[in-house]
């Protein structure tokens, strides 16, 4: 893994709904490697790399291009931007940014990367009750330093998209910190695999709007009609503080996560068993997801058309959906090693 | 082969088929159903489809569906001391699943218990864990592995009259109904339309399987078979369906408002054949019916439901008289060619 290269992909501006920066990065990397690239009507990128021969089964690898984000809805008279429309703790309405993860954080808005800070009522003005509960999205503001509503909206028009402003680096014994590890790791691994000479033809789809509810995946699956799909993503690692056992969900250092079940999908049993067997036979670490939480594009792909057999392979990521995702290099490398094994095995399964 | 409705349901209900792990029960159904159909196939999700073909070209296609999965738990983690941690599969009321016997995929039996000193208000499905009597992770893994499933282990029993109680009547009883319909149809003359019998997967986790099998078979008409709650128990909210009062004709549930032509033709058939029926409306709770209806360019979809008390517990209760009413009504509706009474469904 070329870690600096991976960091440059994490740093790309790619919120749900405006993922083209990610596709531009990938097109540049893939140039000259014999990969044919097309885009569908909702913006998913479809990749095809010919191999030595066509596979008996059509296997589709997927990753999603979008990162968590917010959309600017309006501005108030003092020049602060608003980004939440209704009182709710979770923010599917926003692009999956959690209220608890954004207070005080730096964001950048739109293609001009206007910098701003997420703010709430100063603590000195909060009541005891307010201090003890997480703020609602619609109580928060984005401070871009504008003095008036007009100034704010001329810099960041309604509908502009904001992402975390967060740099990337290696630290602490083989770990990395970056934004958007979910799911730039999937995009990165597919890019790297496409650069190789492959025994079988390779199909991949880089999906849009996963963070809004796995939307792009419906269209991509309908177009591709694979027999089998391998969904590459990132998933939550809760091995922090006092958390242990089942509550961790996944653990860093134990390899890529192959789930039997999550909040959106019951994965193909035979393929999941096969994936674990491949990992064992090749001395590659792989782990299960210990609780059925979260969901990914598999839920849209599995029930598409006549049905698709699906498995997922995910990177255990601490502080997922935050400005500071933390992952372990050896888990990323374990995931990377699994891809050719899964592709070659499932091509003939 | 099965000399009573009870024997039939008992056999079906004894098979473990938690959502996502329907394969073994599917193989049994395939063997039982094969004499009554011309073709058999399974799809990528594991749905089982048997088709009774017709000699008529370009004939309409009728799909009869019943989900073959049941609620239960999937093993997601095993503790170092051998305890088995689970994820619920389908809608599971943790109170109904505390301190019960369970059976696992590979044959082991065990108990399902709630974490000790868990307050009632904190009770959630993931506070439940299983114990098969082992004392270490290594020992447990000889019998139970991550990815295996378990479900409540309460075999069917006869209550007084024609009532039957036990686990997994949702939806093994409906699979048995389809079996009976297929068996009786095979003794009749050839039909002028094609009939598919689909046993769908993963209904309990969101009506997932029905989507793909309906897309593949592309029926014009569909009848779904599932259980429906009764409103005649102590503490029940108001509602129409009662145990023993006949075949429940679905008017609406959370996924569907049933096509009026289907409701009318079912009610008319029931009147002509003197079959007891009742109208079913449930505000919460869904079924494959809605998924069938919205497939491709649309399907005229309806549902005949088996009244069932205490759904998703080890004490689900049905009445054989209702079972029989559904079989007779469906058969008459099919034989009278009611599928042809749809000119325009508006």
């Amino acid at each position: 893994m070329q870690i600096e290269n991976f960091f440059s992909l994490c740093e790309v501006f790619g919120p749900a709904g405006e993922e083209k920066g990610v596709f531009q990065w990938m097109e540049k990397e893939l140039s000259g490697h014999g990969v044919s690239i097309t885009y569908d009507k909702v913006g998913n990128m479809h990749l095809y790399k010919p191999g030595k021969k066509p596979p008996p089964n059509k296997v589709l690898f997927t990753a999603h291009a979008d990162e968590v984000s917010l959309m600017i809805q309006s501005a108030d008279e003092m020049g602060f931007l608003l980004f939440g429309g209704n009182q709710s703790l979770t923010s599917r309405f926003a692009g999956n940014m959690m209220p608890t993860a954004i207070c005080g954080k730096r964001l950048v808005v739109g293609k001009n990367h206007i910098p701003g800070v997420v703010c709430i009522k100063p603590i000195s003005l909060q009541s005891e009750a307010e201090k003890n509960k997480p703020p609602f999205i619609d109580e928060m503001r984005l401070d871009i330093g504008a003095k008036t509503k007009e100034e704010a909206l001329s810099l960041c028009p309604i509908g502009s998209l904001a992402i975390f402003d967060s740099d990337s680096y290696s630290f602490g014994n083989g770990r990395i910190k970056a934004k958007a590890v979910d799911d730039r790791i999937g995009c990165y691994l597919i890019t790297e695999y496409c650069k190789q000479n492959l025994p079988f033809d390779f199909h991949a789809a880089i999906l849009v709007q996963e963070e809004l509810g796995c939307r792009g995946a419906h269209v991509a699956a309908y177009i591709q009609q694979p027999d089998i799909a391998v969904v590459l993503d990132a998933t939550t690692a809760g091995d922090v503080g006092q958390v242990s056992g089942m509550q961790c969900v996944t653990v860093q250092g134990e390899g890529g996560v192959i789930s039997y079940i999550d909040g959106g999908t019951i994965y193909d049993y035979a393929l999941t068993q096969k994936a674990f067997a491949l990992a064992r036979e090749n001395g590659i670490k792989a782990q299960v997801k210990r609780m059925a939480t979260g969901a990914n594009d598999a839920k849209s792909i599995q029930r598409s058309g006549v049905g698709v057999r699906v498995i997922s392979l995910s990177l255990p990521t601490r502080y997922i959906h935050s400005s500071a995702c933390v992952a372990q290099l050896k888990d990323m490398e374990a995931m990377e090693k699994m891809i050719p094994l899964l592709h070659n095995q499932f091509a003939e399964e | 082969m099965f000399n009573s409705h009870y024997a039939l349901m008992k056999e079906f209900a004894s098979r473990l088929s938690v959502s996502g792990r329907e394969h073994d029960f599917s193989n049994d159904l395939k063997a039982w159903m094969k004499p009554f159909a011309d073709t058999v196939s399974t799809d990528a999700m594991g749905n089982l489809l048997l088709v009774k073909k017709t000699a008529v070209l370009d004939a309409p296609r009728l799909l009869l569906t019943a989900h073959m999965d049941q609620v239960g738990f999937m093993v997601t983690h095993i503790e170092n001391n051998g305890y088995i941690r689970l994820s619920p599969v389908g809608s599971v009321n943790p109170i109904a699943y505390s301190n019960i016997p369970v059976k696992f995929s590979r044959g082991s039996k065990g108990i399902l218990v709630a974490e000790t000193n868990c307050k009632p208000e904190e009770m959630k499905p993931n506070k439940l864990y299983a114990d098969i009597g082992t004392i270490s992770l290594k020992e447990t893994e000889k019998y139970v592995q991550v990815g295996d499933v378990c479900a409540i282990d309460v075999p069917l029993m006869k209550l007084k009259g024609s009532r039957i109680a036990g686990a997994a009547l949702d939806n093994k009883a409906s699979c048995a109904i389809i079996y009976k319909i297929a068996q009786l149809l095979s003794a009749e003359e050839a039909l002028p339309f094609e009939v598919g019998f689909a046993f769908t997967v993963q209904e309990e986790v969101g009506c997932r399987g029905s989507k793909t099998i309906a897309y593949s078979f592309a029926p014009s008409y569909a009848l779904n078979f599932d259980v429906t709650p009764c409103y005649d128990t102590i503490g029940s909210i108001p509602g129409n369906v009662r145990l023993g009062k006949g075949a429940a004709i679905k008017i609406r549930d959370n996924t569907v408002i049933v096509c009026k032509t289907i409701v009318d033709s079912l009610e008319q058939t029931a009147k002509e054949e003197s079959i007891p029926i009742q109208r079913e409306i449930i505000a919460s709770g869904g079924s494959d019916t809605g998924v069938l209806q919205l497939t491709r360019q649309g399907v005229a979809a309806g549902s005949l439901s088996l009244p069932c008390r205490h759904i998703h517990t080890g004490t689900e209760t049905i009445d054989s008289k209702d079972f029989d009413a559904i079989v007779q009504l469906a058969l008459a509706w099919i034989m009278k060619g009611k599928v042809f009474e749809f000119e325009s469904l508006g």
Side-chain angles (χ1 to χ4, degrees), chain B residues 155-172:
Chain B
L156 290 197
M157 59 172 161
K158 283 191 184 179
L159 299 179
K160 300 284 185 271
S162 47
R163 297 185 171 185
I164 298 168
L169 284 165
D170 175 13
N171 194 32
K172 303 297 201 315

Side-chain angles (χ1 to χ4, degrees), chain A residues 2-299:
Chain A
Q2 308 274 34
I3 206 63
E4 291 303 320
N5 209 18
F6 175 63
F7 286 159
S8 74
L9 177 57
C10 289
E11 288 169 18
V12 168
F13 181 90
E18 208 177 299
E19 298 87 345
K20 61 179 190 295
V22 177
F23 301 137
Q24 280 162 2
W25 187 96
M26 288 182 68
E27 286 208 21
K28 189 151 161 269
E29 283 290 308
L30 292 171
S31 155
H33 287 279
V35 180
S36 80
I37 296 175
T38 56
Y39 293 90
D40 64 33
K41 287 197 181 69
V42 303
N44 299 309
M45 179 200 225
H46 295 256
L47 303 172
Y48 171 65
K49 165 96 188 227
K52 282 209 184 68
K53 52 184 170 149
N57 299 324
K58 182 171 184 186
V59 183
L60 179 71
F61 278 71
T62 71
H64 66 89
D66 58 313
E67 62 191 286
V68 295
S69 60
L70 295 171
M71 181 180 277
I72 304 304
Q73 314 253 324
S74 60
D76 67 20
E77 294 311 318
M78 309 224 315
F80 291 92
L81 295 168
L82 285 85
F83 43 78
N86 52 2
Q87 282 208 348
S88 59
L89 272 181
T90 63
S91 47
R92 179 91 40 205
F93 190 59
N96 234 0
M97 276 199 181
M98 298 296 147
T100 41
I102 62 175
C103 289
K105 292 296 197 296
R106 297 193 317 262
L107 305 185
V108 287
V109 188
K111 61 176 170 22
N112 295 325
H113 292 219
I114 307 292
V117 178
V118 178
C119 54
I120 50 167
K121 196 189 277 189
I123 200 158
S124 52
L125 297 176
Q126 289 176 18
S127 68
E128 278 310 306
E130 279 174 321
K131 280 183 202 169
N132 286 325
K133 75 161 176 55
F136 291 122
I137 273 265
D138 68 332
E139 291 171 329
M140 298 182 189
R141 300 287 182 268
L142 187 62
D143 182 358
I144 58 169
K147 290 198 283 293
T148 63
K149 184 177 190 169
E150 290 67 36
E151 188 190 352
L153 291 178
S154 74
L155 286 168
C156 303
I158 292 170
S160 306
L161 294 164
I163 57 164
F164 285 123
D165 173 15
S166 168
D167 61 353
S168 345
Y169 50 76
S170 305
F171 77 106
N173 283 328
R175 285 183 221 264
I176 59 112
K177 167 264 188 189
K179 70 161 178 73
V181 171
D182 173 15
D183 181 24
R184 301 294 158 76
I185 182 64
C187 300
Y188 181 80
L189 292 176
I190 285 178
T191 306
E192 290 300 290
Y193 189 60
C194 279
K195 291 177 181 171
Q196 297 170 37
N197 291 323
L198 303 176
F200 288 111
D201 299 345
F202 179 63
H203 297 266
I206 311 297
L207 306 169
V208 299
Q209 300 188 30
E210 187 272 350
E211 298 291 357
L212 299 179
C214 306
R215 295 182 183 173
H218 287 289
V219 172
Y222 186 88
I223 290 170
Q224 290 269 358
Q225 298 182 2
D227 299 301
I228 293 172
V230 178
V231 174
L232 302 177
D233 210 324
T235 190
T236 188
D239 56 337
V240 295
Q242 242 85 316
V243 185
S244 67
M246 176 182 80
Q247 302 289 341
C248 292
V249 185
T250 71
V251 171
Q252 295 207 320
E254 292 303 311
V257 182
I258 303 170
S259 314
Y260 281 99
I261 182 173
D262 63 27
T265 311
I266 298 177
Y267 294 90
D268 186 286
Y269 187 50
L271 294 181
T272 304
Q273 295 283 78
K274 206 31 171 305
F276 276 112
L278 281 173
R280 250 192 327 268
E281 287 155 20
N282 290 273
I284 301 169
K285 281 198 171 176
Q287 60 179 307
V288 298
K289 194 164 193 178
R290 301 178 187 185
M291 286 177 72
T293 57
N296 58 39
D297 288 311
K299 74 177 205 202

Side-chain angles (χ1 to χ4, degrees), chain A residues 222 245-246 260-261 263-269 273 288-292 302-309, chain B residues 19-21 43-45 74 76-77 79 85-89 106 126 146-148 202 205 208 211-212 215-216:
Chain A
Y222 186 88
M246 176 182 80
Y260 281 99
I261 182 173
T265 311
I266 298 177
Y267 294 90
D268 186 286
Y269 187 50
Q273 295 283 78
V288 298
K289 194 164 193 178
R290 301 178 187 185
M291 286 177 72
Q302 187 187 47
R303 281 85 84 175
S304 155
V306 300
V308 180
R309 301 176 68 192
Chain B
S19 312
R21 301 286 181 269
D43 75 0
M45 284 197 68
M74 190 170 292
T76 51
H77 184 64
E79 304 279 8
R85 308 256 22 174
L86 309 152
S87 208
V89 177
R106 292 167 211 258
N126 65 16
V146 173
D148 288 359
Q202 298 187 34
V205 287
R208 295 178 186 173
K211 190 162 187 272
T212 58
Y215 186 89
S216 302

Side-chain angles (χ1 to χ4, degrees), chain B residues 266-279:
Chain B
L266 283 167
E267 289 192 327
Q268 195 197 352
T269 308
K271 195 160 160 210
E272 289 164 10
E273 302 291 312
S274 304
I275 296 170
I277 52 167
Q278 45 188 329
R279 286 189 160 194

